[in-house]
Amino acid sequence: MTLRLIHLANVEQGGGVTRLVSQFPRVLPQHRHELVCTNARPPASFRRQLTERYDKVSALKYWRGLRIPRSPQLLRTHHLRNLTKLPDAALAQIWGSSSQHLPLFQAGLELPFVHYEHGSIWEQRDTAAMADYLQHARHIVACSKACQRMIQLRWAPETPVSVCTNPLSIARPDETKRRSRFRSDRPKSHLTLGWLGRIVLRKGVFLAIEAVHKLRQSGYDVRFKIGGTGPAEGFLGQQIRRLGLANEVQLLGPVSDLSEFFSDVDAFIYPSLYEAFGLSCLEAAAFGIPSIVTDVDGLPEAVRHGETGVCIAPTLETAATEGLLGSIPRVPEFVYDPSTDALRAPKWPAPDALANAIAALLDDSTGYQAMATRCAQQFDERFSMEHYAAQMSRLVEGIIR
């Protein structure tokens, strides 16, 4: 039976979640899919994909090209009810949510909904509103075990919480492109590190730059490629110039060709303060590239310590970086500690620890090759789109039954 599934998602930033949103109609092709963009119209880079793959694309904040004001809320509530009206709509799937949307979703949705969490819940401050919202969901789907435990430990909803691990939404790389470029006879020079994503302070790219500086002082001729855009680009540019790394660290801007980006990367660095999962690390792994990440939240699920990369315990208090960074927007009150299965205050990985882990990985050619091989293998075993489609199909069919 063909059902009408309505997706409410913020696709404004064009990151990993937006890529997955654009792929989702192909995951459940037997149903009709409609998209309601909750924050703005789709970015130009995804607009064609979304309009081609979804049966209908609408904007929560616009009606016939006119912007609907936030106040009174009744206007957007009425618009949302029209977009999701019964009886033919079977289910709404909400891809994360911000505090401003919680009362709107509850007032405007008359059909059952699934909350699909990809990391926005870390930044929620209105605990009572989120608890009430989650309690009204038909089901909660988390993109990682860390995501599931964050929800359960902080809000303890009676609503069932299932884990459906994020897939790699890229095509399976050719074997020649997945082969490691790191050779056992390679000297301790001309090593290239990579980072890819939305450039915001919480991703910790500034720590990776500090680690590169320390490695170069120790005799490593290290290069660092930074792909993506975001509000912290200016800050990173200033840091690069201050450390005299203008020739060694590149800010590449948007990256459209992953094969080209990863073609000369030896290790991927991802020292985030918090992270629901870590799709960029999986993208690196698909090309046979190990990652060095913070041991926090869902990153150890994407990167298995000692198998597909290295997870570094965060020990640096956030207060220690305030002189350098100032105030970091949207720092969460809690993160998930997978080693204790508990919530704790967020911390950074220390630049010295990052530099030592990078050096140890790149100096051990045998261990590096074993990790690179395992990285390529896990693409098919754990994170293929086919595996994700089977998981999600069972979940959705069970919910709407």
Side-chain angles (χ1 to χ4, degrees):
M1 180 175 66
T2 300
L3 299 171
R4 179 180 168 218
L5 304 180
I6 299 173
H7 304 259
L8 292 92
N10 176 7
V11 295
E12 184 178 16
Q13 296 180 351
V17 173
T18 304
R19 288 199 297 273
L20 190 54
V21 170
S22 71
Q23 293 278 348
F24 202 86
R26 296 181 174 181
V27 173
L28 298 174
Q30 68 272 34
H31 299 306
R32 173 183 169 87
H33 296 268
E34 298 180 13
L35 173 64
V36 178
C37 304
T38 58
N39 274 52
R41 297 183 178 94
S45 56
F46 282 93
R47 197 166 298 150
R48 181 176 176 182
Q49 292 180 27
L50 293 170
T51 54
E52 286 180 351
R53 295 172 185 176
Y54 279 84
D55 295 283
K56 181 181 178 182
V57 177
S58 307
L60 179 60
K61 297 181 179 180
Y62 290 87
W63 177 77
R64 296 185 180 181
L66 300 175
R67 184 175 178 84
I68 304 172
R70 180 184 297 182
S71 180
Q73 183 181 293
L74 179 64
L75 295 175
R76 290 186 182 178
T77 300
H78 179 73
H79 185 48
L80 181 59
R81 283 178 179 165
N82 283 336
L83 294 174
T84 61
K85 61 186 176 184
L86 297 169
D88 54 332
L91 187 72
Q93 181 161 288
I94 301 174
W95 295 67
S97 57
S98 65
S99 298
Q100 63 174 308
H101 289 138
L102 297 183
L104 176 61
F105 289 159
Q106 287 183 261
L109 283 175
E110 297 179 344
L111 68 162
F113 70 91
V114 172
H115 177 80
Y116 192 4
E117 183 53 49
H118 289 268
S120 63
I121 209 161
W122 265 255
E123 299 165 5
Q124 290 293 340
R125 297 286 182 177
D126 193 339
T127 304
M130 176 55 71
D132 186 56
Y133 162 80
L134 292 174
Q135 200 65 30
H136 282 82
R138 174 72 64 86
H139 202 96
I140 301 168
V141 180
C143 71
S144 65
K145 176 72 174 178
C147 217
Q148 180 192 51
R149 294 302 290 145
M150 172 64 80
I151 293 168
Q152 292 171 333
L153 291 170
R154 190 168 184 194
W155 287 282
E158 296 179 6
T159 307
V161 186
S162 300
V163 176
C164 189
T165 306
N166 277 346
L168 270 168
S169 56
I170 61 174
R172 184 179 283 102
D174 182 88
E175 286 301 321
T176 58
K177 295 178 181 178
R178 292 169 73 167
R179 186 176 63 246
S180 169
R181 292 154 299 284
F182 190 83
R183 305 185 305 274
S184 59
D185 61 344
R186 189 171 184 167
K188 190 177 70 173
S189 62
H190 305 299
L191 301 172
T192 302
L193 308 176
W195 184 92
L196 183 65
R198 177 165 166 77
I199 302 179
V200 291
L201 290 177
R202 73 169 184 85
K203 297 288 186 177
V205 189
F206 69 98
L207 296 170
I209 294 173
E210 291 285 345
V212 167
H213 182 58
K214 292 177 181 296
L215 285 167
R216 292 189 62 80
Q217 290 179 323
S218 299
Y220 289 84
D221 185 10
V222 180
R223 306 288 195 268
F224 187 26
K225 297 165 57 175
I226 301 170
T229 61
E233 281 181 87
F235 174 83
L236 296 187
Q238 293 175 5
Q239 181 189 21
I240 291 165
R241 291 188 292 273
R242 175 172 54 82
L243 295 175
L245 297 173
N247 294 324
E248 291 76 30
V249 180
Q250 294 177 281
L251 289 169
L252 301 177
V255 172
S256 57
D257 188 340
L258 293 182
S259 295
E260 181 180 352
F261 177 82
F262 287 120
S263 63
D264 61 348
V265 172
D266 298 302
F268 192 71
I269 316 300
Y270 215 77
S272 284
L273 185 64
Y274 62 100
E275 198 73 36
F277 187 52
L279 270 176
S280 294
C281 300
L282 295 187
E283 291 172 342
F287 290 89
I289 300 168
S291 292
I292 297 173
V293 305
T294 316
D295 188 10
V296 70
D297 298 325
L299 283 171
E301 297 175 54
V303 179
R304 289 180 169 175
H305 181 69
E307 293 185 29
T308 62
V310 178
C311 298
I312 301 174
T315 59
L316 189 64
E317 300 285 346
T318 54
T321 63
E322 287 180 358
L324 175 66
L325 302 177
S327 176
I328 304 175
R330 298 192 300 183
V331 172
E333 187 176 357
F334 301 104
V335 295
Y336 174 69
D337 185 348
S339 64
T340 61
D341 187 36
L343 303 183
R344 61 162 176 79
K347 294 181 180 181
W348 298 106
D352 284 339
L354 275 174
N356 292 339
I358 294 167
L361 177 64
L362 299 179
D363 281 344
D364 179 9
S365 59
T366 302
Y368 178 95
Q369 292 287 4
M371 282 189 184
T373 300
R374 184 65 186 137
C375 281
Q377 289 173 345
Q378 75 168 0
F379 181 94
D380 298 319
E381 295 174 6
R382 301 174 62 203
F383 302 116
S384 68
M385 185 60 77
E386 292 80 8
H387 180 68
Y388 172 77
Q391 273 189 301
M392 186 56 70
S393 182
R394 288 193 297 269
L395 265 174
V396 172
E397 298 297 335
I399 293 167
I400 61 181
R401 197 170 288 151

